[in-house]
Amino acid sequence: MTDRYAVIGNPVAHSKSPLIHAEFARQTGHDISYGGLLAPLDGFRAAVLGFRDAGGSGLNVTLPFKHEAWRLADRRSERSERARAANTLTFDADGIAGDNTDGVGLVRDIEGNLGFGLSGKRLLVLGAGGAAWGIGLPLLAQGVARLTIANRTVSRAEELRRHLGEFANIVGCGFEDLAGTQFDLVINATSAGLSDEAPAIPKAVFAPGALAYEMVYGRATPFMAFARACGARVADGLGMLVEQAAESFFIWRGVRPETAPVIAKLRSET
Ligand code: NDP
């Protein structure tokens, strides 16, 4: 019998996850179906349980439900616990298992696909929302020299710094506090690009040879244009999207699909 999966969110029609998982299934010969599930903003729990009770095997979770998914899970992986968010739910006899593959997806894209080693590097994460919470610990685990979290609302950057603080020397600040400091990697984990804005950061944050990583994918954002004009190498979040999906596929199916051909296919279609 075909195992059923889906991505649940609101909105969800734009999601590339069904395409990605269809490619993974074809590549590995697994008999699965994977669709999109639109949940009402106040109806996440009912939609998840309805999908499971109709025979579903697992769900990917996207905006704005990742925190709610974490709360709904009966048991959670450490990386989900640390992120206080789940993007992967698995249904089994013991209930609902929650995991978070966003951070490992980002690390694999940066280190594996882009060939940028994180160890010893000075990192700047812009944003302190769900995405920033998801990537903080996996980045620190790679042995970065310094992690600075800058956010428009400074108190949220400080909250995330406190949450991660037991692991390293981390700074939480506002954008204007970045003047005079340089970074090897600048990750835009804000949603500013979705409204065609760039976070208001100084030009000089990019060290020579810096990588600028935009977590948004499928569009050229003002942050990417700004970083390019500052001389940085620029990447978007498409690789992360495919890598986090591959980790979810591994959790569900026990095999790790090849990501490079899927990234290349999606790139050729945008
Ligand atoms: P949240 O809504 O939780 O957080 C939004 C963040 O963006 C906050 O830090 C907010 O600051 C900041 N922000 C919003 N608008 C602006 C602006 N105009 N200028 C400066 N800062 C701004 O969203 P998420 O953290 O969940 O998602 C962030 C982005 O990451 C989204 O675009 C999402 O698509 C992307 N993403 C990509 C993934 C991938 O696989 N490539 C995976 C997960 C997320 P404040 O606190 O001040 O409001």
Side-chain angles (χ1 to χ4, degrees), residues 4 12 181 183:
R4 290 179 54 225
V12 81
T181 318
F183 299 90

Side-chain angles (χ1 to χ4, degrees), residues 63 128-131 151-153 156 189-192 197 215-216 237 241:
L63 291 175
N151 194 45
R152 183 174 61 179
T153 309
R156 296 185 76 198
T190 75
S191 50
E197 289 178 56
M215 281 183 59
V216 168
L241 179 77

Side-chain angles (χ1 to χ4, degrees), residues 14 62-64 66 87 102 105-106 126-133 135 150-154 156-157 175 188-200 213-217 236-245:
H14 67 286
T62 188
L63 291 175
K66 291 183 187 181
N87 75 340
D102 280 339
L106 175 69
L126 305 171
W133 276 73
I135 63 176
N151 194 45
R152 183 174 61 179
T153 309
V154 181
R156 296 185 76 198
F175 297 142
N188 186 19
T190 75
S191 50
L194 299 178
S195 50
D196 280 331
E197 289 178 56
Y213 194 99
E214 168 64 270
M215 281 183 59
V216 168
Y217 54 85
D236 74 358
L238 186 70
M240 172 182 177
L241 179 77
V242 175
E243 294 294 344
Q244 62 79 26

Side-chain angles (χ1 to χ4, degrees), residues 213-239:
Y213 194 99
E214 168 64 270
M215 281 183 59
V216 168
Y217 54 85
R219 60 198 291 173
T221 67
F223 169 77
M224 294 165 76
F226 175 75
R228 203 169 278 122
C230 296
R233 176 185 170 201
V234 174
D236 74 358
L238 186 70

